[in-house]
Amino acid sequence: MNNLQQAHALGQSLWYDSISRALIDGGGLKQLVADGIRGVTSNPSIFEKALKEGAEYGPAIAALRAKNPLASAFELYEDLAVRDIRDACDVLQPLHAASKGMDGYVSLEVTLHAGDSVEAMVAEGLHLKQRVDRANLMVKIP
């Protein structure tokens, strides 16, 4: 039993605080879950780092630009983030099901792009929930 599994045996669910297309596509996330990670967290800063460092986002951005040349930087960010979160949710879905919803979540933080009022944050959270469309999405409010 490794340290992550021991922590879980003691009632702790450890989350990985990063996400990227390379982690998902390269099988790294699947391996982290196999090793005992119980969830994944993200936020706009994590995505910013992934976008700056990840060459794999270039083709995705080009495809999004070709589809919608007038897309704003925020729209591009959201499309890429939603795709990564959705795919990460799919990786963690078996854990979510096996734990009966206690583990296996992927978090996505609202950006406050539309404002920081309660109404704006709730609206953005509901919008993200609808776009991701996965039962194991956890929407975070900063």
Side-chain angles (χ1 to χ4, degrees):
M1 188 180 293
N2 69 30
N3 290 340
L4 294 171
Q5 294 161 339
Q6 287 176 359
H8 185 255
L10 294 171
Q12 299 298 308
S13 293
L14 301 178
W15 286 39
Y16 190 70
D17 190 30
S18 186
I19 193 167
S20 70
R21 173 68 19 206
L23 180 70
I24 298 164
D25 287 350
L29 181 55
K30 188 178 270 189
Q31 184 60 54
L32 286 168
V33 173
D35 290 344
I37 285 295
R38 308 294 290 183
V40 175
T41 188
S42 72
N43 61 45
S45 297
I46 288 171
F47 277 110
E48 178 184 21
K49 182 178 183 223
L51 289 167
K52 282 182 180 177
E53 295 174 2
E56 68 278 0
Y57 287 101
I61 292 169
L64 290 169
R65 280 266 184 232
K67 202 168 154 183
N68 182 2
L70 301 177
S72 69
F74 179 77
E75 290 169 321
L76 293 172
Y77 156 77
E78 186 176 288
D79 284 346
L80 294 169
V82 164
R83 185 187 75 171
D84 283 1
I85 294 295
R86 186 180 294 142
D87 290 349
C89 283
D90 291 345
V91 171
L92 276 92
Q93 194 287 324
L95 174 60
H96 185 258
S99 69
K100 297 184 175 151
M102 294 298 292
D103 285 313
Y105 287 92
V106 180
S107 73
L108 178 59
E109 186 173 305
V110 299
T111 63
L112 306 180
H113 179 73
D116 63 357
S117 71
V118 171
E119 294 80 12
M121 288 187 281
V122 169
E124 185 178 353
L126 291 171
H127 166 76
L128 291 171
K129 179 175 175 30
Q130 182 179 26
R131 286 222 42 212
V132 173
D133 193 29
R134 298 296 188 270
N136 56 335
L137 170 68
M138 181 181 289
V139 175
K140 292 191 311 186
I141 306 292

